[in-house]
Amino acid sequence: KFQHWIEGAVATELATTPMRLVRRRALAEMHRRVKVAQRRGNNLDSSRACWNYPSVVTWSESPSTFLRAGKAKPYSALPSVVTWFLVFRGARAVARELCKELGVLVKSVDETNEEGEPPLVAAGSGGNVWALELLLAAGCEVGSASHSAVHPSHNGWTALHRAALLGHKESVACLVEAGADVHAKTEAGETCLTVAAGAGQSEVVKYLAEKGGVELVLAVDSEGRSCAFLAAREGHDEVLRVLIEVGGTELLMLREKGGRSCAWIASREGRTEALRVLIEAGG
């Protein structure tokens, strides 16, 4: 690989460059090309999808020339093996190679781990937007969901559910912009907003409530529990304020299957601040 890197370049300068930096530069450039192809709406399977080949490529100059701000473009300093990837393979193939380098993909986009999670769902927990973007570019379905006989309570969880639960707002936004359905439910009837509200992820809740509107805020799970009910149970008063702003008193009047309200569960669990918020809102 190092021989590919120095081919046609100034070896004396490259000899002092650590291989880990060479690798990082190569991977970063490959990722950038994939993103360019996505923005342009190119066919990701096309062999030229992520390569805008320059009319003149100067291979004899030092890579530092290309990496210095304001100078020539960095792709001229890439190793020839990376150039081959970009010129003769499609962006989707390049994205798959990068996913394997990152360890978020082993063999294919259709594989599942021991938890029954497809690659995108597993990556949703990590908060790594780069990994999510690459997996999507590699061909992972944005709505793919987990299915496991060992952990049935997590069946139907998507990457959006995972990211929302853990408060990864940037990952949530990345998935929504890629077409993830904010109204999608798990087998237990949970939406991404439901799990975010129960976990107290106020920033994520605000974002999802804006995207999904009243319909999403008023959605209930298989037990009839609303996102406000779960937030009240856990004492997430800030989350309740956000939800009430969108759902109003209609949200607070919802009852779960046992006939219990948000105020009832807040009272039983001793969530005084949450109960205060509910009373002030008329719930």
Side-chain angles (χ1 to χ4, degrees):
K1 289 182 179 180
F2 188 69
Q3 181 59 41
H4 281 300
W5 174 263
I6 66 173
E7 182 181 358
V10 180
T12 54
E13 292 190 20
L14 288 171
T16 59
T17 303
M19 276 301 297
R20 65 179 181 277
L21 296 182
V22 173
R23 178 174 175 273
R24 287 173 186 171
R25 290 172 183 171
L27 293 177
E29 178 61 13
M30 291 169 76
H31 181 223
R32 190 180 72 82
R33 289 290 170 179
V34 170
K35 293 186 72 173
V36 168
Q38 287 178 307
R39 287 197 300 269
R40 291 176 178 173
N42 292 350
N43 177 5
L44 295 183
D45 290 312
S46 168
S47 62
R48 296 277 174 164
C50 63
W51 183 258
N52 182 17
Y53 205 83
S55 56
V56 177
V57 179
T58 307
W59 290 96
S60 59
E61 298 186 50
S62 166
S64 60
T65 300
F66 302 104
L67 298 172
R68 193 177 299 121
K71 298 298 181 180
K73 296 179 180 179
Y75 51 62
S76 302
L78 288 174
S80 56
V81 66
V82 175
T83 303
W84 183 87
F85 269 127
L86 295 171
V87 176
F88 298 106
R89 302 184 67 182
R92 198 176 302 284
V94 174
R96 286 172 184 160
E97 294 294 331
L98 286 169
C99 286
K100 290 175 183 178
E101 287 284 346
L102 287 174
V104 294
L105 196 66
V106 178
K107 293 182 179 179
S108 75
V109 296
D110 299 318
E111 66 193 23
T112 57
N113 60 20
E114 62 276 8
E115 304 294 330
E117 300 172 324
L120 192 68
V121 177
S125 300
N128 188 334
V129 176
W130 184 13
L132 292 175
E133 290 175 342
L134 287 174
L135 284 168
L136 289 168
C140 288
E141 293 293 332
V142 71
S144 58
S146 58
H147 293 283
S148 171
V150 180
H151 303 286
S153 62
H154 284 184
N155 284 351
W157 281 62
T158 66
L160 184 55
H161 284 90
R162 291 280 190 231
L165 174 70
L166 297 174
H168 300 314
K169 185 180 176 182
E170 290 185 359
S171 296
V172 168
C174 169
L175 293 164
V176 171
E177 289 169 9
D181 182 8
V182 296
H183 300 282
K185 292 187 174 185
T186 67
E187 289 189 4
E190 301 159 308
T191 66
C192 53
L193 182 60
T194 303
V195 297
Q201 308 294 358
S202 57
E203 289 300 313
V204 172
V205 167
K206 183 177 181 180
Y207 175 84
L208 291 172
E210 290 174 352
K211 291 295 181 180
V214 176
E215 181 184 352
L216 180 60
V217 171
L218 295 181
V220 297
D221 64 15
S222 57
E223 298 298 320
R225 299 173 300 185
S226 68
C227 51
F229 183 93
L230 296 174
R233 185 185 68 183
E234 303 302 325
H236 301 311
D237 50 284
E238 185 58 36
V239 169
L240 281 173
R241 290 187 180 93
V242 173
L243 294 172
I244 292 169
E245 187 176 342
V246 178
T249 55
E250 183 179 359
L251 173 65
L252 303 183
M253 293 299 106
L254 293 175
R255 300 286 195 276
E256 47 87 74
K257 287 186 176 180
R260 302 174 180 89
S261 67
C262 297
W264 184 92
I265 193 66
S267 177
R268 193 194 76 167
E269 298 297 325
R271 311 299 188 181
T272 55
E273 188 56 36
L275 183 59
R276 184 178 294 109
V277 171
L278 293 167
I279 292 173
E280 290 174 354

